[in-house]
Amino acid sequence: MKIAVSQRLGHSLILGLTTVLTAAFPARSAERIQFFFGPFEPTIYVEDLAQLVEDGTISDRFRPVADRLGEEQLVNVRSLLSTTFEIDSVMISQFTYGPVGERLLQQAGQVVRTDNMLSGSRALRAALIFAAAEEDGLTILNIIQQFPLETIQIDFALLSQIIAENQSIFQLRDEVVAGVREISVEQATEQAIALPDTGAPHLSGPYSWQQETLTFQNPGRPEASLADLYLPDVASPPAGGIPLVVISHGIASDRATFSYLGTHLASHGYAVALVEHAETTAEKFGRFLQGLEGPPNPTELLHRPRDITAILDELAQLAETRSDLQQLNLQTVGVLGQSLGGYTVLAAAGAELDRENLRQECEITLERPSVNLSQLIQCQILQLPEDVSLAVQDQRVIAAVALNPVTSSLFGENGLAQMQQPVMVVGSTDDYFAPIVPEQIIPFTWFEHLESYLVIVESGTHFSFLGNSEGGTLPVPETLIGPEPELSRAQIQGLSLAFFNRFLLAQTEQEAYLSQTYMDTLDQVPFRFNIIQNFFE
């Protein structure tokens, strides 16, 4: 019954949108793409692009363009035009009518314009919705063909500027990654630390564990949330108690996403709480894309770190009557998160949200198209009233691991400088959602303490550290997911355990594993992990 209602709502939404869009735009489709550049308007015909995609034919009209592109780029263009995105019309309409999608369309409309050089945002929305309804699915060629005007005008000057910025970012990325790789080798040589004879941290530990699902109440949320708790079977806990790590998932994930890491830590004697952030779970996001829910509220950026406080409070309360929980050390806690979860754990660990930096950064970011898509989410917090407190730190959190975190505008230099807890930031070179240079590498230089580590994962993407979950993830092409995420787990498990051993249990010998020497003992294909410690100091 629930599925039938969902389908009816989806069909009704598409019918309504189709009626509105058909009334707004005449029944026509794009015939040509013109690149506006002063008095010159070079033209590419849509029919020629369709022939190229269908069988590789290069028409006489398209030949000059093809010759300029070269064979390799032409293959890439053909592949790009024909790549199918697994997104239906309901998903597209929900996203593009939401605040983030609306802003993205406004930015895209500055580049893609109508034939009278007005913003093409509304025409783009129509093209996206109609293309997603095509039998062949959503492709860039379908979007072009469904553009509801005969001519697509491209602001070539602005497009060139964006491309140049994009190229400079990737050039800077390659230079920095090369520099970090060199420094990681130098640090390993200078330190010359021998790896301990005991078992390496990426290997499973000796403990079994028990799993249970808890409910906890964040006072800011209307309903209780869930967390999976892994409790190790430890006969003789450490002097300070069983260490605890709280794990935070990203958007469109859930508490099961990092169960592989939770079980690994539990096998080494850690208690692990995998929290679920109610407004950004896979189920919630899926319902939003189906037209059954609204988009996440900007207050979610505050609720997330407060979920960590709430689960710690719940465990403390349960420990009053449960002897097994009385063994937990709830005063010196570690946290780990990915993507928006990376932001979450940094905020809980003491990085301060900076409203003034957000104003300055977002005024620039939202004014024109940006290659940093995460800014669209970060800037949402400005919708909160001025009198809303942004304080979210929990003093019980003493160490944080942030995978692919979004940081640049939310914290800025001043906000990250306030964080005094040990931190490990992990970034991926091929992350197009939270780009490594503006979101991890540059922010890493803003930490003002020595106990900070930067890990750069070559060939990694925004999805390279995710585990499997029933809820699924964002509907993105496989090319953006990258190599099989399972191939990164040994490194993530080893680095995370060594980091928490060092800073939660004060095992100084574990520093040997927070090094390139250790990383080079693991299979680095298809990824390469480069780790450095506070080399900016």
Side-chain angles (χ1 to χ4, degrees), residues 205-319:
Y207 298 105
S208 59
W209 66 88
Q210 305 296 322
Q211 177 187 349
E212 64 177 299
T213 300
L214 303 176
T215 59
F216 65 95
Q217 183 64 58
N218 180 334
R221 296 190 187 278
E223 299 177 353
S225 302
L226 299 177
D228 284 341
L229 179 66
Y230 294 87
L231 280 178
D233 297 321
V234 180
S236 301
I242 296 175
L244 173 67
V245 173
V246 180
I247 296 181
S248 169
H249 64 78
I251 290 179
S253 293
D254 52 38
R255 65 188 189 278
T257 301
F258 285 97
S259 60
Y260 78 89
L261 189 54
T263 56
H264 181 73
L265 293 173
S267 77
H268 284 271
Y270 280 81
V272 184
L274 294 95
V275 299
E276 196 155 88
H277 304 288
E279 286 294 310
T280 47
T281 63
E283 180 183 6
K284 178 81 173 182
F285 201 82
R287 288 173 62 82
F288 161 61
L289 293 178
Q290 293 172 36
L292 303 177
E293 297 274 0
N297 193 296
T299 55
E300 180 65 9
L301 291 169
L302 301 181
H303 289 331
R304 281 177 138 264
R306 289 171 182 165
D307 283 340
I308 293 178
T309 294
I311 188 61
L312 294 180
D313 291 344
E314 177 67 19
L315 289 170
Q317 183 175 350
L318 290 174

Side-chain angles (χ1 to χ4, degrees), residues 243-245 270 329 331-335 396-401 420-424 449-453 495-511 514 531 533-534:
L244 173 67
V245 173
Y270 280 81
N329 183 345
Q331 299 307 312
T332 53
V333 175
V335 289
R396 292 168 289 190
V397 174
I398 69 161
V401 176
Q420 297 303 310
Q421 311 292 19
V423 61
M424 181 163 63
H449 58 87
L450 298 177
E451 295 173 332
S452 54
Y453 297 83
L495 286 171
S496 300
L497 179 60
F499 180 83
F500 290 128
N501 284 344
R502 170 63 185 88
F503 295 108
L504 293 187
L505 299 178
Q507 297 177 355
T508 56
E509 71 275 10
Q510 293 290 309
E511 289 183 4
L514 299 173
I531 180 171
Q533 181 180 5
N534 51 270

Side-chain angles (χ1 to χ4, degrees), residues 66-78:
D67 290 341
R68 293 195 57 142
L69 288 173
E71 185 174 345
E72 182 178 352
Q73 284 187 307
L74 200 61
V75 170
N76 292 336
V77 167
R78 185 183 179 191

Side-chain angles (χ1 to χ4, degrees), residues 18-299:
T18 302
T19 303
V20 171
L21 294 173
T22 302
F25 297 103
R28 63 180 73 169
S29 59
E31 297 179 1
R32 65 188 71 84
I33 304 172
Q34 288 184 335
F35 295 83
F36 180 77
F37 188 64
F40 305 103
E41 294 187 356
T43 300
I44 294 177
Y45 288 87
V46 176
E47 182 182 3
D48 297 339
L49 293 178
Q51 289 182 347
L52 175 68
V53 168
E54 183 177 355
D55 56 17
T57 299
I58 300 175
S59 67
D60 292 339
R61 287 184 305 190
F62 190 66
R63 173 61 62 184
V65 176
D67 290 341
R68 293 195 57 142
L69 288 173
E71 185 174 345
E72 182 178 352
Q73 284 187 307
L74 200 61
V75 170
N76 292 336
V77 167
R78 185 183 179 191
S79 175
L80 179 63
L81 289 171
S82 59
T83 297
T84 301
F85 297 82
E86 299 298 328
I87 307 175
D88 62 28
S89 298
V90 175
M91 291 182 180
I92 284 289
S93 62
Q94 280 295 102
F95 178 71
T96 57
Y97 279 98
V100 174
E102 183 76 35
R103 177 62 66 178
L104 191 60
L105 275 179
Q106 289 174 5
Q107 292 183 345
Q110 296 178 42
V111 177
V112 180
R113 296 183 172 271
T114 64
D115 48 14
N116 52 5
M117 287 304 290
L118 297 176
S119 170
S121 60
R122 291 178 61 209
L124 267 175
R125 176 184 285 127
L128 284 163
I129 292 172
F130 285 133
E134 286 283 299
E135 183 177 348
D136 296 336
L138 181 70
T139 67
I140 292 180
L141 178 60
N142 280 345
I143 296 171
I144 294 171
Q145 291 173 324
Q146 292 293 341
F147 196 82
L149 298 169
E150 292 181 359
T151 302
I152 302 173
Q153 284 277 8
I154 303 295
D155 187 330
F156 188 73
L158 180 55
L159 178 62
S160 299
Q161 184 178 348
I162 294 171
I163 291 174
E165 290 177 4
N166 191 56
Q167 289 174 334
S168 67
I169 286 176
F170 284 106
Q171 181 179 353
L172 176 61
R173 178 202 67 181
D174 294 342
E175 292 173 357
V176 171
V177 169
V180 168
R181 178 187 279 206
E182 183 178 341
I183 292 170
S184 68
V185 175
E186 290 177 0
Q187 285 189 347
T189 303
E190 292 172 0
Q191 296 167 352
I193 300 175
L195 297 179
D197 294 332
T198 55
H202 66 279
L203 301 175
S204 295
Y207 298 105
S208 59
W209 66 88
Q210 305 296 322
Q211 177 187 349
E212 64 177 299
T213 300
L214 303 176
T215 59
F216 65 95
Q217 183 64 58
N218 180 334
R221 296 190 187 278
E223 299 177 353
S225 302
L226 299 177
D228 284 341
L229 179 66
Y230 294 87
L231 280 178
D233 297 321
V234 180
S236 301
I242 296 175
L244 173 67
V245 173
V246 180
I247 296 181
S248 169
H249 64 78
I251 290 179
S253 293
D254 52 38
R255 65 188 189 278
T257 301
F258 285 97
S259 60
Y260 78 89
L261 189 54
T263 56
H264 181 73
L265 293 173
S267 77
H268 284 271
Y270 280 81
V272 184
L274 294 95
V275 299
E276 196 155 88
H277 304 288
E279 286 294 310
T280 47
T281 63
E283 180 183 6
K284 178 81 173 182
F285 201 82
R287 288 173 62 82
F288 161 61
L289 293 178
Q290 293 172 36
L292 303 177
E293 297 274 0
N297 193 296
T299 55

